[in-house]
Every structure is written in C-alpha cells, then in structure tokens.
Amino acid sequence: MAAQDDLQGTAPLELSHRICVTGEAVVDFNGELDVTTAEAAVSYVSDLVDRHCGPMIADVTALAFCDARGLAALARMAGYAEQKGCLFRLASPRPLLVKMMRITGLDQKLRTCTPAWARG
C-alpha cells in the first residue's frame, strides 16, 4: 500500500506486513508518516489488527520523517491494538521520534523493542 499526496509533493509512505514464525505481525513503515499519510496508515494497521488478533510490531526503521499527526497516528494504532487485546510495539525508532515521544509523554503508551532481526 502506498499513501501519498501528489499535489503536496511529499514522499509516499509505503506499508507492508509479514507474519513472523513467532506469531507477531510486523508492519514495515517506509517513507514519511505525516498529515498526508497518517489516516491511511491507521486504516492499514487497524485492518491488520482485526485480521491478525496477535502481537503487533511497527517497524519504523525506514521511517524518514514523522510529524505530530504521524505521532498521533502511532498512538491511535497502539490504542486500537490494545483495545483489541493485542500488544503493540515500535521497533527501532530513530532518536528524534523517541525524543518526540518523550516530550509528549507518549513514551508511556508507545513501547519500543529491538527485534531479533534488528540485532547486530
């Protein structure tokens, strides 16, 4: 799935997912999570939560940019997963995203992890 706004000239957000042998669904975020792509990302992850009904990892390693609306979208994804009884974690967020989470207090809601595939 790709979400983009050609009129604004923003980089697209590419989303894909896979189910690991451990049973976790991993959503790969590639591009920019911002005001133009946030709703599509929430919809994509919510649909996956509904179908998978298990632990979710949002792999944000390749997330080039995240604005306030993108951060709110991640919080909505986590809240929806939690409401459905699914653990939701962010894998490998960049330092700026971690700082935004800490400043806004979302670091308490958006838990992070370093999955096996990301370890050296």
Side-chain angles (χ1 to χ4, degrees):
M1 166 182 196
Q4 78 179 39
D5 182 358
D6 292 328
L7 297 175
Q8 297 295 323
T10 61
L13 175 65
E14 296 177 8
L15 300 167
S16 61
H17 72 275
R18 63 190 183 281
I19 308 298
C20 297
V21 295
T22 57
E24 296 168 318
V26 178
V27 179
D28 295 303
F29 288 72
N30 189 348
E32 297 184 0
L33 182 58
D34 59 19
V35 67
T36 62
T37 60
E39 287 306 312
V42 170
S43 178
Y44 184 92
V45 171
S46 297
D47 289 345
L48 184 58
V49 167
D50 289 340
R51 290 192 324 266
H52 178 64
C53 299
M56 305 288 297
I57 295 177
D59 184 358
V60 293
T61 304
L63 192 61
F65 175 78
C66 182
D67 68 4
R69 186 73 59 95
L71 185 60
L74 290 171
R76 287 176 51 205
M77 293 171 205
Y80 187 78
E82 181 181 309
Q83 179 184 16
K84 296 291 185 170
C86 301
L87 179 65
F88 183 92
R89 293 170 291 163
L90 296 180
S92 308
R94 293 181 185 213
L96 183 57
L97 182 56
V98 172
K99 182 177 182 178
M100 287 172 54
M101 289 166 38
R102 194 174 327 113
I103 289 170
T104 60
L106 286 174
D107 58 333
Q108 299 302 309
K109 182 174 185 119
L110 295 171
R111 300 297 181 172
T112 62
C113 67
T114 305
W117 74 82
R119 295 181 192 128

